[in-house]
Every structure is written in structure tokens, then in C-alpha cells.
Amino acid sequence: MRALLVKLVATGATAGAFLVGAGGAALAQPTDPTQPPAQVSNIDINPGNVPTTAAAFTQNCEPNLGGGPFPDQDVWVFNLPGNPETSGQFVTVTGTWSIPNDGTVTRTIPTDGGAIVNDMGTSKAWIRLPAGWTLTDATAVITGTAEFFVLTHTCAASGQPTTPPPTTAPPTTAPPTQPPTSAPPTQPPTSAPPTTPTKSHLPITGTSAGSGLIPMAILGIGAVALGATLIAVRRRRDAES
């Protein structure tokens, strides 16, 4: 009986030593760097960075952060500022973009493309998207604590202007000047047609004037002849006496 008890104690000690050794070996194993710790934080993008298009933001095309420029894609690069020991690293970055005349979309780095880069100082994240989209909002999951993260720069698609073109109105073309209209030639004053004096026609009353003059002429001749005869007779008388 005593021998059996000693054997059981020895067996238990051996098993305990094995468990302690296995536990120590497990603790000595390094943690997987790709797995984030259990404690994480959610933060928003700096509100001064949105909304914006890639073409309107600071340009920097880096081979290790998405590369470019590309003919039909914009590269977006985010940065987690601050001390990496306290701010930690990006776990995911989720952005919301508006598509011209086609609503909005949400993309998450690295789930929907791009990558998280932690060997260039502070933690960074990048993604390539179709050209012309507008970033309107973004959030991030990080391993530490920070007030916000930033859109550090973009690499706009080639062929796009890096700054919005000025909206200047085209010059207005003045309508052609109409030649001065010449006044119609002045017509000389029209002289009134000469007025022909009209003959006054007196009313004719009674018999014709010619028929009344003949008897008067005869009487006159007769009176003259009578007077001449009387004068001649008187002179004869005076001569005889």
C-alpha cells in the first residue's frame, strides 16, 4: 500500500513538471504580429480633410504606398499621426466615397484592397480607386489611442488636373454694330401748280348787248347830224343879216 502511494506521488510530480514546462514554453512563444491585440479604438478622420477629390489634394506618388500615377485610378494614402507606442497601428481603415452621378460607396482597407504599412515610421494605409471619386468621410480601427487620423496625400490619375480649373465665363462677343442708317433723301418741296385765273362770268340778263347798241348808235348819229344842220343854218342866217 505504501509502495502504491509513493508511485502515485511520483507520477503526479512528473505530470506537474510537464505541464509547467509546456506552459512556460507557450508563454515564451512570440505573438503573431499580424493579429491585433484585444484592446482597440475607433477614431474618425480629421474633418478638415473631407470632402475632397484626389486631384484637389496634396500630390505625392510613392512606390511603397500605392505607386502611380495611373491612367484611370486615384491612390489614397492615410496616416496615423503621433507616437506609434501610444497611437498604435491601423487595423482597418474604412472610407466613404461619392461617385459622380452614381451615389456613394464604402471601401475598407485591407479587406477591399490596398494595404496597411507599418514599417515607414507611423502606421499608414493606402488604396487605389477609380479616378474622380470624392472622399466624404472615413473611420479607422487602431491598436492604440489617438484623437483622429489624416488623409496625408493622394496620387491623382494621370491626365487629371491637380487643381480644379478656374470657372471663368467665356468672353461674350459683342453683336456686330449696325451701320448708321442714312436718312432718306429729302424730296424738294413740290411747288403748287400755277393757278389759272378764272374768268368771272357775269350773268346775262335781258336781250343781247349787241342788239341794244345798234339803235343807240343810230340815234347818236342822227343827233350829231341834226346838231350840225342846226349850226349850219344859224351861221347862214348870221351871214345874211
Side-chain angles (χ1 to χ4, degrees):
M1 185 69 180
R2 182 177 178 181
L4 179 61
L5 181 60
V6 170
K7 187 175 180 180
L8 290 176
V9 171
T11 303
T14 303
F18 176 79
L19 291 174
V20 169
L27 292 175
Q29 292 293 327
T31 58
D32 187 354
T34 62
Q35 297 298 322
Q39 185 176 359
V40 294
S41 302
N42 295 309
I43 58 175
D44 295 325
I45 193 171
N46 181 358
N49 293 158
V50 291
T52 184
T53 62
F57 207 74
T58 303
Q59 299 298 298
N60 188 12
C61 301
E62 296 186 63
N64 295 332
L65 294 173
F70 302 97
D72 56 358
Q73 286 185 315
D74 294 329
V75 180
W76 302 82
V77 183
F78 302 93
N79 180 51
L80 181 60
N83 187 348
E85 294 181 1
T86 57
S87 298
Q89 300 173 346
F90 282 128
V91 178
T92 60
V93 176
T94 301
T96 301
W97 284 264
S98 65
I99 304 173
N101 303 318
D102 197 21
T104 60
V105 295
T106 300
R107 295 289 184 268
T108 299
I109 307 169
T111 306
D112 297 322
I116 293 174
V117 179
N118 295 321
D119 58 355
M120 297 179 65
T122 56
S123 184
K124 297 175 177 62
W126 64 266
I127 191 170
R128 286 197 297 263
L129 296 172
W133 290 10
T134 299
L135 179 66
T136 59
D137 194 15
T139 59
V141 177
I142 62 174
T143 60
T145 58
E147 293 183 2
F148 56 82
F149 68 101
V150 298
L151 174 66
T152 180
H153 60 267
T154 63
C155 181
S158 59
Q160 291 191 94
T162 56
T163 55
T167 56
T168 55
T172 56
T173 305
T177 305
Q178 297 293 334
T181 55
S182 57
T186 306
Q187 297 292 334
T190 55
S191 57
T195 57
T196 304
T198 57
K199 297 179 181 181
S200 60
H201 298 279
L202 298 177
I204 302 175
T205 59
T207 59
S208 174
S211 60
L213 291 176
I214 294 175
M216 291 178 64
I218 295 174
L219 290 176
I221 295 172
V224 172
L226 179 60
T229 303
L230 291 176
I231 293 173
V233 172
R234 186 174 180 180
R235 287 180 179 177
R236 183 179 300 174
R237 283 180 181 176
D238 290 341
E240 290 179 355
S241 57

